[in-house]
Amino acid sequence: MFASLALILRILLAWAAAIVVAGFVWSGIFSGMDDGPGWVFGLLAMFLVVTAIGSCITHIRRVWLIAGRLDGTTLSSRQRRQIELPMDAGPAFALVEKAIAELPRVENIESAAGSLQVRACVRRVDPYNGRPPSRWNLPARLAIRRNSVLATVTPGQGTSSVTLLFEPDAGVWADLLAVDEGSNYENAEAVSRAITRRVSEQRRDEQAAAEQTSTEKELSVAKLNLLHAQVEPHFLYNTLANAQVLTRTDPPRADQMLGHLIQYLRSSLPSVDESMSTLRVELERAQAYLEILKIRMGARLALQVDVAPALLDLPLPSMALQTLVENAIKHGLEPKPGGGTVWIIARAFDDHVTLTVADDGLGFGHSSSGTGIGLKNLRERLRLTCGERAGVAIVSNFPSGVAATITLPRDAREAIHAA
């Protein structure tokens, strides 16, 4: 209440001073300085005082409806807001610019990204709908029609400070003789709400993106574990099937094979739950597997390895090399009466690395009992762990057999860590 009375008193005193000055001018022009300004001037002065009081009451009432309280801050025609944003200056400036552009009746927006400032004008509500007021309606003709908005973004360390100024588009006299009917307070609250809403939406989007990324990562891990679980029984089934055959045909060699199998499992099972391995580990595992098969195939199986020591730490999915070696044996060399050779070759290029398992077995011209699940799983695991550029290509080998090549990008290590 005190703030409202202080506002009315201030406006009345300002108008009283203006009327006294105008009275002296009136007397000097129309009746001389020795006489009073007359009853016409008195009526005009009373009209202006009543109009000023009515404007103050309208201003107080509207501010009460908008803010729900009356104090010096809400009743002021000039509003200032300081907002801290948890973002860099560039995104903060774009956010503030959009918030100001959303104000009703905003016009003449001037933004300078270099100085991090936005200026705009906001038209006040026009009670005459664009029609000019009567020539006798002096307060309406002298009324302020626009407010100005100035926003300044101050950059910080990962945060930004936004200073917002809302003022009448007029000089200092407007603070003494006129009120804005709460329009600047309304604009200040509207821009503050818009900025808060946009920051909240951005945080919700970031949180949703983080949750989606976490969910996708969990799904990828679960899918990798499932694919890996499908690969391990595939290898064990083939090895135990070979041992079962040897128990009937050559028990001593079957016993030797089972000994190698126990040694293989002892070194492999600790890493069964790991989806990633290295070329060094995979090469040792494949060689142990081939040693088991040599017990059965004897001279029919030969192995040639051409891998540079610098590539031994190359990351790749666990059992990836084993899958290709198993296919070479099962579909290429084992059905071939004379057996053959398995080549394991690794090559490094500018932007990728290739790992090839080739054989001189039967090749594509003969029927196969394979289901293709091993290669399908391998392709999917390569995509999930090493990116879309990783893959497997199967071609005919010359003069016979098949060559299967895994292609990995040189930045596969970074992609795997990101996954």
Side-chain angles (χ1 to χ4, degrees):
M1 180 62 69
F2 177 78
S4 303
L5 294 177
L7 173 67
I8 295 175
L9 182 60
R10 189 192 73 193
I11 296 295
L12 287 179
L13 289 176
W15 275 103
I19 289 173
V20 169
V21 174
F24 280 108
V25 175
W26 183 286
S27 298
I29 294 175
F30 295 101
S31 58
M33 296 299 296
D34 296 332
D35 299 326
W39 63 271
V40 175
F41 180 82
L43 290 176
L44 180 60
M46 290 179 59
F47 173 74
L48 291 176
V49 170
V50 172
T51 302
I53 294 175
S55 298
C56 288
I57 294 174
T58 303
H59 174 77
I60 293 171
R61 181 174 179 273
R62 192 166 191 275
V63 170
W64 170 257
L65 293 174
I66 296 174
R69 71 181 193 277
L70 296 175
D71 53 36
T73 301
T74 57
L75 290 173
S76 175
S77 295
R78 299 180 187 271
Q79 298 288 328
R80 184 179 187 273
R81 297 289 187 274
Q82 191 80 25
I83 303 175
E84 301 296 327
L85 298 181
M87 60 184 68
D88 293 331
F93 176 80
L95 186 148
V96 171
E97 185 180 23
K98 292 179 180 178
I100 293 176
E102 290 177 349
L103 280 173
R105 302 178 303 280
V106 67
E107 58 187 18
N108 300 334
I109 299 178
E110 299 177 359
S111 60
S115 61
L116 298 177
Q117 281 192 330
V118 181
R119 292 181 179 271
C121 291
V122 182
R123 288 183 292 105
R124 294 184 181 179
V125 176
D126 184 6
Y128 302 99
N129 295 324
R131 299 190 306 272
S134 170
R135 69 180 63 182
W136 306 109
N137 192 347
L138 184 59
R141 284 188 169 273
L142 298 178
I144 302 170
R145 302 183 183 279
R146 300 195 307 177
N147 294 323
S148 65
V149 180
L150 173 62
T152 304
V153 179
T154 303
Q157 296 294 330
T159 62
S160 299
S161 178
V162 181
T163 303
L164 300 168
L165 297 178
F166 302 86
E167 305 172 291
D169 190 15
V172 179
W173 66 269
D175 295 337
L176 299 175
L177 301 174
V179 290
D180 68 343
E181 297 184 354
S183 57
N184 280 294
Y185 180 85
E186 183 180 18
N187 292 338
E189 292 297 303
V191 173
S192 299
R193 287 194 304 271
I195 292 176
T196 303
R197 175 181 61 84
R198 287 183 173 274
V199 171
S200 299
E201 290 177 351
Q202 181 174 334
R203 286 191 171 182
R204 283 198 300 269
D205 293 342
E206 292 175 353
Q207 184 178 3
E211 291 177 355
Q212 182 178 2
T213 301
S214 177
T215 302
E216 291 176 352
K217 185 175 181 179
E218 291 176 0
L219 290 175
S220 297
V221 171
K223 194 170 185 178
L224 283 171
N225 291 337
L226 176 61
L227 294 174
H228 190 263
Q230 292 174 340
V231 171
E232 287 291 344
H234 180 61
F235 162 67
L236 293 176
Y237 169 78
N238 287 341
T239 305
L240 292 175
N242 291 335
Q244 184 182 26
V245 172
L246 286 178
T247 56
R248 295 191 297 267
T249 59
D250 195 342
R253 294 177 63 191
D255 182 69
Q256 186 180 3
M257 176 178 285
L258 290 175
H260 285 293
L261 177 60
I262 292 172
Q263 183 179 1
Y264 171 85
L265 292 177
R266 186 174 292 138
S267 61
S268 298
L269 286 179
S271 62
V272 133
D273 293 331
E274 298 177 2
S275 61
M276 293 304 300
S277 180
T278 63
L279 180 55
R280 183 193 311 275
V281 174
E282 293 302 298
L283 190 58
E284 292 175 354
R285 183 179 301 175
Q287 288 176 324
Y289 168 77
L290 291 173
E291 287 297 326
I292 294 174
L293 291 183
K294 280 185 178 180
I295 297 176
R296 179 176 178 224
M297 299 179 65
R300 295 177 57 235
L301 177 60
L303 172 65
Q304 294 188 18
V305 179
D306 184 7
V307 177
L311 297 177
L312 291 177
D313 293 328
L314 177 71
L316 71 161
S318 180
M319 301 296 292
L321 182 61
Q322 183 73 22
T323 300
L324 300 184
V325 171
E326 284 186 22
N327 285 342
I329 297 296
K330 181 178 179 180
H331 306 300
L333 298 182
E334 197 170 33
K336 185 178 179 180
T341 302
V342 174
W343 290 270
I344 301 177
I345 305 170
R347 293 287 184 268
F349 300 90
D350 292 338
D351 59 346
H352 66 280
V353 176
T354 61
L355 177 61
T356 300
V357 176
D359 66 80
D360 55 357
L362 296 179
F364 291 121
H366 296 74
S367 60
S368 172
S369 59
T371 61
I373 188 173
L375 290 176
K376 180 180 178 181
N377 287 353
L378 177 58
R379 287 190 175 96
E380 185 67 8
R381 296 172 70 211
L382 285 170
R383 184 186 67 83
L384 290 172
T385 56
C386 302
E388 298 293 339
R389 289 188 296 164
V392 182
I394 310 295
V395 297
S396 295
N397 194 22
F398 182 82
S400 63
V402 172
T405 300
I406 297 175
T407 301
L408 299 171
R410 289 298 294 264
D411 57 353
R413 189 183 301 274
E414 287 77 8
I416 290 167
H417 291 325

